Amino acid sequence: QFKGTIMDYVPKLTHKAYLESCAELNKVEVELEVEEPIAPIGSGTGGTGAGTQGRRSSASGGVLSPIKDKNYLENQFKVSSLKLETDTSTGQSQLQASLSGKLSEQVVDGTVEYELPPGPITYQSACQIFELYRRGAGGRISTSSVQRILRGGYRSLMDLPNVVNASIDEGDKNQKCTVVGDLHGQLTDLVYIMEESGLPSNEHMYIFNGDFVDRGAMGVEVTLLLLVFRAALPDRVFLNRGNHEDFAICCVYGFQRECCSKYDEVTFGMFVELFQYLPVCTILNEVILVIHGGLFHDTDITIADLNQVHRNDFTLQDLPVDGEELIGMDKVNDRVNYLKQVQRDALWSDPSASMGKVESSRGAGIGFGADVTQKFLKNNDLRFVIRSHECIKRGFAYPYFGIEGSENILC
């Protein structure tokens, strides 16, 4: 026997009932009796990243959790009528609701297929796609809509500089910024993060710091969800490039195979072309650098140098045949290769426990010490570096913790 608001009861409802009750029912008092929770339609076998082990998420099967994000609810289904019916023969109750604003979808070969409505991608469309993917393996975006998302994303990204500036009002306690590291095709992790932290909104900025694809099975869905939220909120959703957003790496670590099995080679080619225009890094409020890998061979590098990189021409296939040397490329006399090395470093480097620079075990980039970090920050009037690129058990770490004055880099 359960008594409370419908939003409190959502985790025990069927998938259909959840969809039909997630808008304006928080004030409705209900009394229902349920013996067992029922899994949602389309419970599949999505990725199981460390961030969601032991938690229930519809993207990997299980019972849907409630979403109380105001922006999400306001852009979902509107309930025009509601009634609670009880079967007198069994005593079982069922919630009945009439809706307006349902998803634009059709069933193709047993799979729910979402079609974007005409016109620009809106916040409502982004929320609907979030819900589509949150259901689990039972929903996909149509090929034509995927290619629309990719074309729009490509056009908007190619106009951006290599170093993008983002800002939030530090005096407004309602504003916040969430930085997300490597997702690697783990849709369950992305859904969980957005459920717990809240969806992107005018008050909630997100910076996604690269490596959206490869390894996990849902890189297509992860990337598309990020792109639609960015299309709806371009000043509140920022995407940096990771070392896996690269044709050569995608062909080895699984994204090419995933994309071609779900869509086709043309769509994969469109993803790769879009990846080439992802910015190198983002600077938050003029003092925090968010970058996927790390710092550089050139310890005197400036933000102006970063903005001269030809990011759309970069590929790891340009790595020297004998691998990366610790001595950097000549900044003046070998400018083309110098700029390619700068981008490699941005995507591949890692912090090092040693001072100075050390060779990277990855074969690209460098290991950079606390002294290199301090010099870079001072030269560029920055205070802090946030980077990703490594698996950290606790979710984050200060790699130079314990070294006085070096607590200003976060992994």
Side-chain angles (χ1 to χ4, degrees):
Q1 193 79 6
F2 177 88
K3 191 171 184 179
T5 68
I6 196 72
M7 288 307 293
D8 293 328
Y9 192 74
V10 163
K12 298 185 179 70
L13 290 175
T14 66
H15 171 72
K16 179 174 182 293
Y18 167 76
L19 290 180
E20 294 178 345
S21 64
C22 69
E24 297 174 346
L25 305 184
N26 199 34
K27 297 180 180 178
V28 177
E29 293 289 333
V30 295
E31 189 170 334
L32 302 175
E33 187 172 321
V34 174
E35 293 181 359
E36 294 292 337
I38 304 174
I41 295 171
S43 50
T45 56
T48 54
T52 53
Q53 289 180 354
R55 299 186 181 97
R56 297 179 299 176
S57 172
S58 66
S60 61
V63 179
L64 287 163
S65 59
I67 286 195
K68 298 184 180 180
D69 187 286
K70 180 174 179 290
N71 291 284
Y72 175 79
L73 295 177
E74 286 178 350
N75 283 276
Q76 276 300 309
F77 308 93
K78 302 300 180 183
V79 179
S80 55
S81 66
L82 170 71
K83 61 180 177 178
L84 190 63
E85 292 187 347
T86 302
D87 187 329
T88 55
S89 62
T90 63
Q92 292 183 340
S93 299
Q94 184 176 7
L95 185 70
Q96 299 288 344
S98 299
L99 307 175
S100 59
K102 290 185 178 180
L103 295 175
S104 302
E105 60 186 30
Q106 56 182 329
V107 177
V108 179
D109 297 330
T111 299
V112 175
E113 187 162 272
Y114 177 85
E115 192 74 39
L116 273 174
I121 296 172
T122 64
Y123 190 81
Q124 183 176 18
S125 294
C127 287
Q128 290 178 344
I129 290 171
F130 175 77
E131 181 59 44
L132 180 80
Y133 286 158
R134 191 171 177 269
R135 299 178 187 188
R140 73 192 293 271
I141 303 176
S142 69
T143 301
S144 61
S145 292
V146 168
Q147 294 185 358
R148 267 186 62 194
I149 293 167
L150 294 173
R151 281 195 297 271
Y154 176 86
R155 286 193 295 266
S156 64
L157 290 171
M158 68 185 300
D159 292 333
L160 296 178
N162 295 331
V163 183
V164 175
N165 290 293
S167 63
I168 59 173
D169 183 354
E170 296 181 66
D172 184 349
K173 64 180 182 180
N174 294 319
Q175 291 200 21
K176 65 177 180 178
C177 177
T178 300
V179 180
V180 181
D182 301 22
L183 287 164
H184 278 307
Q186 301 290 347
L187 181 63
T188 51
D189 287 1
L190 178 57
V191 168
Y192 178 76
I193 288 166
M194 288 187 171
E195 286 179 339
E196 291 296 303
S197 298
L199 293 181
S201 69
N202 289 325
E203 292 76 35
H204 188 185
M205 176 186 291
Y206 272 93
I207 302 174
F208 294 95
N209 202 20
D211 279 11
F212 315 132
V213 301
D214 286 335
R215 296 199 173 111
M218 309 292 278
V220 166
E221 291 79 4
V222 165
T223 307
L224 291 173
L225 190 55
L226 299 185
L227 288 172
V228 293
F229 272 115
R230 186 190 176 277
L233 295 168
D235 295 328
R236 283 294 175 263
V237 178
F238 296 86
L239 311 181
N240 289 340
R241 186 172 180 176
N243 61 306
H244 279 260
E245 279 73 55
D246 182 287
F247 173 75
I249 303 299
C250 287
C251 290
V252 174
Y253 285 90
F255 183 64
Q256 181 190 37
R257 183 170 59 253
E258 177 202 340
C259 188
C260 292
S261 68
K262 293 175 179 177
Y263 293 98
D264 51 39
E265 285 280 359
V266 172
T267 304
F268 172 67
M270 294 176 71
F271 270 104
V272 171
E273 288 183 359
L274 179 143
F275 291 161
Q276 292 177 315
Y277 281 98
L278 287 167
V280 176
C281 56
T282 300
I283 295 179
L284 178 62
N285 282 18
E286 300 183 346
V287 293
I288 300 174
L289 177 72
V290 184
I291 190 167
H292 179 75
L295 302 186
F296 309 91
H297 278 79
D298 179 8
T299 57
D300 294 314
I301 194 170
T302 65
I303 298 301
D305 291 323
L306 285 175
N307 267 323
Q308 292 182 24
V309 167
H310 304 290
R311 70 180 189 270
N312 59 308
D313 292 334
F314 173 82
T315 174
L316 190 63
Q317 292 172 321
D318 293 328
L319 186 69
V321 176
D322 297 327
E324 201 88 82
E325 295 184 2
L326 197 54
I327 299 174
M329 301 288 183
D330 191 308
K331 185 173 184 175
V332 177
N333 298 317
D334 194 4
R335 188 70 175 171
V336 171
N337 286 318
Y338 167 82
L339 292 175
K340 288 181 178 180
Q341 185 176 65
V342 166
Q343 186 159 359
R344 267 198 311 276
D345 290 344
L347 302 181
W348 286 88
S349 292
D350 298 290
S352 168
S354 303
M355 292 293 184
K357 300 181 296 183
V358 298
E359 290 186 0
S360 172
S361 60
R362 298 179 187 270
I366 59 163
F368 56 95
D371 54 336
V372 174
T373 305
Q374 292 295 335
K375 183 178 181 180
F376 173 80
L377 292 174
K378 183 178 179 180
N379 287 350
N380 291 281
D381 294 322
L382 298 169
R383 297 181 195 167
F384 204 82
V385 175
I386 298 176
R387 47 89 60 185
S388 306
H389 195 41
E390 292 180 283
C391 182
I392 306 295
K393 275 190 175 181
R394 291 178 57 216
F396 70 94
Y398 294 94
Y400 305 136
F401 185 76
I403 301 176
E404 187 176 351
S406 297
E407 293 84 14
N408 45 13
I409 179 168
L410 183 70
C411 294

